[in-house]
C-alpha cells in the first residue's frame, strides 16, 4: 500500500497544478476582457456604449462569463435609456438562465401579488423585497405596496443605492423629483423615486 501513495500524490499534485494554471489563465483572460470593456466604454454616451458593447459581445462570444456579463451590461444600459423591452430581451439572452421550467413551477396558480404579499406581511415584522435593477416594474410594484404595508403597521423603509446625503434629498422629492443616487439610480424610474 505504501508504494502507491507517492505516485498517486504526484499525479494529484500535477493535475492540481495544471488546473490551477488553466484557471489562472482563464481569470487573466476574463480580467483582460473587463478592462477592455471599461476602457472602450469610458466617456461614451449610452447609445455609443450600446454600440461598443454589442461589438465586444461578438468579440467575446467564446467566453461564457464575459459574454454573460456583457449581456447584463447591455441590459442595464438599455434600462438607463428607458428602453425596457430591450433591457429585458438582453437579460433573457443570458446563458445562465434556466433552460427548462421545473415541474413544480408549472403547477403554480397565479395570484394577485400585491394582496398576497400585503396579507402575508401581517405575520411578520420585516418585509424584504428584491428587484432586478433593470426592471422598473419592480419599483412600481413596491411603490404600490407601500400603502398596504403602512396600513398594516410598517413604519420604516430601508433602501439601497441612495446618495450619501439622501436623507436631506428625500424630503425634496415630492416637490422636485430628480435622481438622488448613482449607478442604477440613473434608470429613469429609479432615479425619480426613492422606490
Amino acid at each position: 500500500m505504501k508504494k502507491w501513495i507517492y505516485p498517486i500524490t504526484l499525479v494529484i499534485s500535477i493535475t492540481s497544478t495544471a488546473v490551477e494554471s488553466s484557471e489562472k489563465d482563464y481569470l487573466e483572460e476574463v480580467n483582460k476582457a473587463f478592462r477592455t470593456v471599461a476602457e472602450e466604454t469610458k466617456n461614451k454616451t449610452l447609445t455609443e456604449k450600446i454600440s461598443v458593447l454589442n461589438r465586444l459581445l461578438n468579440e467575446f462570444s467564446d467566453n461564457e462569463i464575459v459574454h454573460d456579463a456583457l449581456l447584463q451590461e447591455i441590459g442595464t444600459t438599455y434600462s438607463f435609456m428607458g428602453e425596457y423591452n430591450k433591457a429585458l430581451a438582453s437579460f433573457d439572452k443570458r446563458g445562465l438562465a434556466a433552460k427548462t421550467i421545473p415541474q413544480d413551477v408549472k403547477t403554480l396558480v397565479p395570484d394577485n401579488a400585491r394582496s398576497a404579499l400585503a396579507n402575508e406581511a401581517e405575520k411578520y415584522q420585516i418585509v424584504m423585497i428584491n428587484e432586478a435593477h433593470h426592471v422598473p416594474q419592480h419599483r412600481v410594484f413596491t411603490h404600490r405596496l407601500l400603502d398596504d404595508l403602512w396600513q398594516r403597521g410598517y413604519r420604516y423603509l430601508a433602501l439601497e443605492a441612495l446618495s450619501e446625503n439622501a436623507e436631506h434629498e428625500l424630503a425634496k422629492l415630492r416637490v422636485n423629483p430628480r435622481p438622488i443616487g448613482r449607478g442604477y439610480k440613473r434608470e429613469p424610474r429609479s432615479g425619480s423615486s426613492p422606490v
Side-chain angles (χ1 to χ4, degrees):
M1 188 71 140
K2 289 183 180 179
K3 293 179 181 178
W4 289 101
I5 292 175
Y6 177 72
I8 290 173
T9 304
L10 183 60
V11 169
I12 291 171
S13 175
I14 291 171
T15 304
S16 176
T17 303
V19 168
E20 286 175 15
S21 176
S22 85
E23 284 178 5
K24 183 180 177 190
D25 293 342
Y26 184 75
L27 289 174
E28 285 177 8
E29 179 185 344
V30 168
N31 284 331
K32 179 183 175 189
F34 288 129
R35 279 192 301 275
T36 301
V37 169
E39 290 167 7
E40 294 196 27
T41 59
K42 185 178 181 180
N43 298 323
K44 301 282 188 203
T45 66
L46 294 175
T47 304
E48 292 169 335
K49 187 174 180 179
I50 289 290
S51 181
V52 170
L53 291 170
N54 278 318
R55 180 180 53 77
L56 293 172
L57 189 66
N58 290 328
E59 193 175 310
F60 290 103
S61 62
D62 61 334
N63 186 318
E64 186 178 352
I65 291 176
V66 175
H67 192 263
D68 188 75
L70 285 167
L71 284 170
Q72 182 174 346
E73 185 65 21
I74 289 168
T76 300
T77 303
Y78 274 132
S79 79
F80 292 167
M81 297 168 71
E83 296 279 353
Y84 303 118
N85 288 334
K86 289 180 179 179
L88 291 171
S90 181
F91 273 80
D92 286 347
K93 292 177 188 174
R94 295 178 63 213
L96 301 178
K99 304 293 184 217
T100 59
I101 298 173
Q103 190 59 39
D104 55 342
V105 172
K106 291 179 182 179
T107 61
L108 293 176
V109 178
D111 197 355
N112 180 308
R114 181 176 166 186
S115 297
L117 284 174
N119 291 333
E120 193 67 19
E122 291 178 0
K123 303 175 190 175
Y124 301 96
Q125 293 180 333
I126 297 173
V127 174
M128 293 186 188
I129 299 174
N130 191 20
E131 69 170 20
H133 295 297
H134 68 288
V135 183
Q137 293 89 335
H138 293 170
R139 284 178 292 285
V140 171
F141 172 78
T142 302
H143 189 261
R144 290 179 178 164
L145 184 62
L146 290 179
D147 284 337
D148 298 323
L149 294 174
W150 182 268
Q151 291 171 14
R152 286 162 175 79
Y154 286 86
R155 297 295 183 263
Y156 298 97
L157 177 65
L159 303 170
E160 68 172 337
L162 299 177
S163 64
E164 308 81 48
N165 62 344
E167 66 275 7
H168 304 292
E169 299 296 321
L170 285 172
K172 302 174 189 175
L173 277 178
R174 293 181 195 254
V175 178
N176 182 22
R178 61 187 165 68
I180 58 169
R182 296 188 191 110
Y184 287 112
K185 298 302 287 179
R186 294 185 306 186
E187 183 274 310
R189 173 69 188 140
S190 179
S192 66
S193 171
V195 183

